[in-house]
Amino acid sequence: MISSEHHITRYRRWLHEQHGLSFDSYDALWRWSTNDLSAFWGSIWDYFGLQSPTPHECVLRKAVMPGAEWFPGAQLNYAQHLFSHADASHAAGHPAIVFSDEAMLARGELRQISWPELRRQVAACAAAFKALGVQRGDRVCAVMPNVPETIVVFLACASLGAIWSVCSPDMGPVAVLDRFRQIEPKLLVACDGYRHGGTAHDRRELLKQLLAELPSVRHAVLWRNLGLDADLAGPGRQAHDLAALLAAEAAFAPERLPFDHPLWVVYSSGTTGLPKPIVHGHGGVMLEALKMGALHNDVGPSRTGGDRFHWYSSTGWIMWNSQVGVLLGGTTICIFDGSPAGLHGAPDWGVLWRFAGLARCSFFGAGAAFYASCLKAGVEPQAVADLSALRAVGSTGSPLSIDCYHWIWDKLPRVDGERIWLAPISGGTDFAGAFIAGLPTLPVVEGEMQCRCLGAAVEAWSEPDADGVGRPLIDEVGELVCTKPMPSMPLYFWGDSDGKRYRDSYFDMYPGVWRHGDWIRITPRGGAIIYGRSDATINRHGIRMGTAELYRAVEALPEVLDSLVVDLEYLGQESWMPLFVVLREGLTLDEALTKRIKQAIREALSARHVPNDVFQVSAIPRTLSGKKMELPVKKLLMGAAADSVLKRDAMANADCVDWFVQLAAARAAGRPAA
């Protein structure tokens, strides 16, 4: 029986009973949570029962960005807290993980992993890694799909204090090496391949390339997802079988770690250079995940409410990390490995709905692009699956169109006679959390997210004045900023010894204030609308990525001299990502070369990076210092006046601008692009 009382209501009652705090509105609660950071985050620690053998000296030593120090003196471990729910959840009959893949789902099958079995496998994996010499602070990297074994390996690393990093197996060698080279892993866990859309993809050649380029790897562990053999041994490198490691028995003995001990490295791509290797800590990630899961997403321990949580993701997206984080609250998670669109050549957008029905999901989340695809395909979710357990829907990755709001309300089951609760969120890899989210006790307005998250001092700001200060805006579009620190903000970027890259990434426009890179409008009622990226980072099909990686793949082709790419995803409209290329003299872009360019991008990076269109241009607009003018071109194509965004006297090649101005005019007039 699912409790009818929302978790935010329980938390507010607890605040009153324990601390004498009462709030007459969510806005008042939010303002307290952002004005008294120590009291709020201290309450999250206490409310969710985090334990430390040594008391923390204070909650927040310095409320500055960057450089805030949270809970100094505390010791904890992500994996240890996660398994604090194991015995009670198991006794109540709830598994930790419910899993299916394409083949299993076609047969109507699920695999369930109990809490004790998950703990046993994590203990076995941790003991094996420790025997191989993996120590606190060592990096363990993985190229693995969204399967229970990936979660096991991650939790084993967390229990040891090793630092985890994962890439999806559909990523190309350039993209993977750009990430893993930076952090020099000691151990690599990898699958022989993966299945997507009914097709098996052998990735053993990728593994050879990775191991040849990662000399720091002393141990390579193979997971035979496709049942293929691969010899990953080499000079100074031993090979192991993951299934054999997980079959052993060992005691679960997680290490107590400082609050800010590194948990993982995730990557958020900028517009120049390599992907940013972002380091998050155990404690900060735990607090954000617990707060977000229970108080905003309204999912709690399965033993008390029967909740089952699903958010469709690959391992290369921060939503994979977020879904695993739901286990911290004792909630069963439901994971699916495979294509949400059915078999190649036979589109079927009912796949995830059938999984949700079979797994009895109570909360279903996916990228906004998924819902748009379902709408366009005319999917009838309730005709293909029993969704009677479903009571909430989440969306993220890009703005959810108003049409999708109505599709979800029209096509999904009503809950207690009311339209299903729709809770779009907006956050980021950068801080492993959400700035804007839902709340079950607030009204849902179409096209709008419900509220700013507790503890997140989010505002819309105007352009900075001469002192670098922005003006807070209400009901106007501005830069999304966070004016106060949050525990899950990055500890640092790996290899960024002086912190310059970290500061330049978030604090270059407003010193001491986090600028996230999104356009946002805060509505008078306290909701928020995201209008897309305010910088040149691509947000392609819900996956944020940098342009620099794509340029390396494209410009490696001998025919291509220069390139520029922008993504025109705006206000929930369908993304259009054009690529502009300068070719060697005498060459003309034809269909064959276009296909080669797209294939090079697909192979080096992923299918998500492939542009919609490729155009040949005479030159790429550049500044006098040689920087590609991505953001001005993006603004121009979104309708800005050319003179307001392209300063010709600040350009190295102003003559090339006219072509882009003509393209923008053609798009505005609805004419075909030249």
Side-chain angles (χ1 to χ4, degrees), residues 379-609:
V379 174
E380 296 287 343
Q382 295 187 82
V384 301
D386 175 6
L387 300 177
S388 57
L390 192 64
R391 60 179 178 83
V393 175
S395 173
T396 194
S398 57
L400 187 69
S401 69
I402 290 177
D403 286 344
C404 286
Y405 275 72
H406 288 288
W407 182 86
I408 289 168
W409 286 331
D410 291 344
K411 301 301 182 182
L412 296 180
R414 297 178 75 83
V415 180
D416 297 329
E418 303 292 332
R419 63 192 187 186
I420 198 165
W421 178 41
L422 175 53
I425 66 172
S426 181
T429 298
D430 313 76
F431 65 104
F435 281 141
I436 311 295
L439 200 77
T441 55
L442 293 177
V444 179
V445 178
E446 62 183 32
E448 187 174 315
M449 285 172 278
Q450 288 176 281
C451 62
R452 290 173 279 188
C453 289
L454 294 173
V458 170
E459 295 179 347
W461 273 21
S462 66
E463 292 288 318
D465 60 20
D467 296 321
V469 178
R471 176 172 53 87
L473 306 171
I474 294 295
D475 218 18
E476 295 182 50
V477 177
E479 289 278 356
L480 191 165
V481 301
C482 188
T483 63
K484 296 179 182 179
M486 295 172 64
S488 64
M489 285 177 173
L491 302 176
Y492 49 84
F493 289 176
W494 194 270
D496 184 27
S497 57
D498 60 0
K500 183 178 186 302
R501 194 179 183 197
Y502 183 15
R503 292 192 300 274
D504 289 349
S505 295
Y506 309 112
F507 307 104
D508 60 337
M509 181 176 287
Y510 309 103
V513 172
W514 178 289
R515 170 185 169 265
H516 196 57
D518 281 337
W519 280 307
I520 188 174
R521 176 163 65 92
I522 307 296
T523 68
R525 62 182 145 257
I529 301 171
I530 296 290
Y531 289 79
R533 297 295 294 165
S534 64
D535 59 19
T537 300
I538 297 166
N539 193 3
R540 185 68 163 164
H541 300 310
I543 307 297
R544 189 171 295 175
M545 60 188 70
T547 54
E549 299 173 87
L550 189 143
Y551 296 147
R552 281 194 292 275
V554 172
E555 293 168 17
L557 294 172
E559 296 91 344
V560 180
L561 297 178
D562 203 1
S563 61
L564 182 141
V565 68
V566 295
D567 180 26
L568 304 190
E569 179 262 316
Y570 180 69
L571 261 182
Q573 299 173 11
E574 186 171 354
S575 168
W576 182 62
M577 191 170 86
L579 171 68
F580 307 99
V581 295
V582 179
L583 303 181
R584 293 191 179 278
E585 187 174 354
L587 296 181
T588 300
L589 183 68
D590 56 16
E591 184 177 353
L593 181 54
T594 298
K595 287 183 177 179
R596 287 189 58 220
I597 290 171
K598 290 185 175 182
Q599 185 63 24
I601 295 169
R602 183 179 288 107
E603 290 179 354
L605 301 170
S606 80
R608 292 186 293 266
H609 292 69

Side-chain angles (χ1 to χ4, degrees), residues 241-315:
D241 179 75
L242 181 59
L245 299 185
L246 300 186
E249 296 290 337
F252 180 61
E255 292 198 25
R256 290 286 191 172
L257 306 165
F259 183 90
D260 60 356
H261 183 80
L263 174 63
W264 59 45
V265 180
V266 292
Y267 305 88
S268 183
S269 301
T271 56
T272 59
L274 294 170
K276 298 176 292 190
I278 301 169
V279 184
H280 294 132
H282 277 244
V285 166
M286 290 168 63
L287 289 177
E288 175 65 22
L290 289 165
K291 177 205 74 176
M292 186 65 195
L295 303 187
H296 284 286
N297 285 338
D298 200 33
V299 294
S302 297
R303 66 180 182 272
T304 61
D307 289 331
R308 290 191 171 195
F309 183 91
H310 166 76
W311 201 295
Y312 179 75
S313 177
S314 74
T315 54

